[in-house]
Amino acid sequence: MEQGMNGFETAHWPVGIGRLVELRFLEARPKQTVGMPIDTPVLACPVAPTDAHWFSKGNGQANFGFGYIPHDDGLLMTIRAQIGGLQVYWIAEMADPEVWAAIDKWRRVKRAPVMFEIRKGARSDKVFGVFDVPLGTLHNEAYRHRPDPVPTAQRLHSIVSFVGSGALQLRASTDMAGVPLRQVLTNVIVTGRLEPFVKASPVPA
């Protein structure tokens, strides 16, 4: 596994580095987030220039949700945002406390801010969106307090390898009736507990 500027390089599908950054640390606060506390986490991910056009093809429909998928080491959390025919996945460790803290804050304000960073060389264009958070019990909430595996470089490598295998693209289905998927992008959320392993030497599979 090798890390590029915007994501991980795998033998198959590209995998972006997703992250959580509080509103207070953004260079400019998006107008869509007015009224949100400054410590509200923004869910961010890189977007390749070749995929930038998907953000101008929206038909006004959008969806945001949570789920889980089985993995060799247990369950992984999924966060999905769909904008028209584009679906973006963020994958995280199911019991990652930083991700659950972010979810708790989104549920309090009933919205989740998302930032798509379209990078081309030194230039970075940002597309922001604010999605309604599902009401009631989330699909993955029953697994919130599962045993929390110790984060390691090998575990991060295993997750990235799985996400880069194309399994998510193959099983993805639209979250909006009558709106077929045209593109699926994938990211692994790198929180503080995984950050030390991102720049580590490539780990054998």
Side-chain angles (χ1 to χ4, degrees), residues 46-121:
V47 175
T50 52
D51 288 313
H53 66 283
W54 291 107
F55 295 93
S56 62
K57 289 186 175 181
N59 59 3
Q61 290 183 272
N63 189 78
F64 189 79
F66 303 86
Y68 58 88
I69 49 177
H71 183 252
D72 293 342
D73 297 329
L75 295 178
L76 295 176
M77 180 193 305
T78 66
I79 303 176
R80 295 188 312 280
Q82 185 171 335
I83 305 169
L86 171 69
Q87 191 174 80
V88 183
Y89 268 88
W90 287 264
I91 304 300
E93 295 182 296
M94 179 57 76
D96 191 316
E98 189 174 334
V99 178
W100 278 108
I103 292 173
D104 288 340
K105 290 181 179 180
W106 295 335
R107 294 174 81 177
R108 282 197 288 272
V109 298
K110 300 180 181 179
R111 295 180 295 164
V114 177
M115 178 173 68
F116 303 99
E117 300 178 271
I118 304 169
R119 301 177 182 175
K120 187 175 183 180

